Amino acid sequence: GAVVSQHPSRVICKSGTSVKIECRSLDFQATTMFWYRQFPKQSLMLMATSNEGSKATYEQGVEKDKFLINHASLTLSTLTVTSAHPEDSSFYICSARTSGGLYTGELFFGEGSRLTVL
Amino acid sequence: DAKTTQPPSMDCAEGRAANLPCNHSTISGNEYVYWYRQIHSQGPPYIIHGLKNNETNEVASLIITEDRKSSTLILPHATLRDTAVYYCIVRVGTSNTGKLIFGQGTTLQVKP
């Protein structure tokens, strides 16, 4: 199946710094990628939809200036957590949709990136 | 947006079939039902999806009721490695950016 890779898988940073997480589709092109956040023992919460070459669409309640998303190519989307604080500590997961037809092709998920802000 | 309702947890004996139900009574005609599962702190791999016909692949079967208001994911011979959280999701939107909104899922515990 299609492979989505996230990097880094784990990152620890100090409060106030910015952290960038990469999401790559390794063997397919993805015009659309999605970013999720998951707190312990909770479900995945959609943060934003990232479209190649255009601005991301954020879900209600997600600060776009806090979570910067860039989808510069058909195989790469990045999420930057700016001025991170301990409450931003979470598991961040991306998914990528194959550039297939409207109702074909499942979304493939990366393995997630665990962010710990000290 | 159509939402799904799943039991929070289920148990299943190893080797037996695991039947995971999902209600999606507000699903619209062009929305698909997707199933994913998540094993502790990993990205959730895709299992199966369907529109109105029953579907089967090498991992599971998906049975969708005729009125499409509910579905059941069937793992034919559950193993201990099938212990995970299973998410039933209805595909939102009618554009190529259709997104997946996760509910709380069902935690399946397969017991020896």
Side-chain angles (χ1 to χ4, degrees), chain B:
Chain B
D1 300 342
K3 295 184 178 179
T4 62
T5 304
Q6 298 176 252
S9 63
M10 291 183 64
D11 290 342
C12 176
E14 186 180 18
R16 305 297 293 269
N19 298 290
L20 291 88
C22 179
N23 287 321
H24 31 79
S25 58
T26 60
I27 193 171
S28 61
N30 58 356
E31 289 181 314
Y32 282 62
V33 179
Y34 281 75
W35 282 84
Y36 289 80
R37 69 176 165 190
Q38 187 178 33
I39 298 173
H40 181 63
S41 293
Q42 297 181 21
Y46 160 88
I47 301 175
I48 198 168
H49 75 283
L51 181 61
K52 55 183 179 181
N53 296 322
N54 297 336
E55 302 288 344
T56 296
N57 61 22
E58 63 276 9
V59 176
S61 295
L62 175 61
I63 308 298
I64 302 174
T65 57
E66 190 171 344
D67 63 8
R68 303 214 318 126
K69 293 184 176 182
S70 65
S71 60
T72 301
L73 177 74
I74 301 173
L75 306 178
H77 305 286
T79 69
L80 298 179
R81 287 179 294 181
D82 291 323
T83 293
V85 180
Y86 288 78
Y87 295 101
C88 167
I89 304 160
V90 170
R91 175 78 165 268
V92 176
T94 57
S95 69
N96 282 330
T97 59
K99 52 192 177 183
L100 297 183
I101 305 297
F102 285 76
Q104 293 306 307
T106 295
T107 299
L108 174 68
Q109 182 72 48
V110 180
K111 298 184 175 180

Side-chain angles (χ1 to χ4, degrees), chain A residues 66-110:
Chain A
K66 171 80 172 174
F67 299 99
L68 301 180
I69 293 173
N70 182 276
H71 193 158
S73 76
L74 288 173
T75 60
L76 173 65
S77 176
T78 60
L79 168 68
T80 301
V81 183
T82 63
S83 187
H85 288 92
E87 57 266 30
D88 298 323
S89 298
S90 186
F91 192 55
Y92 292 88
I93 308 172
C94 73
S95 68
R97 183 182 182 279
T98 56
S99 300
L102 180 60
Y103 297 118
T104 63
E106 59 271 21
L107 270 69
F108 297 95
F109 284 81

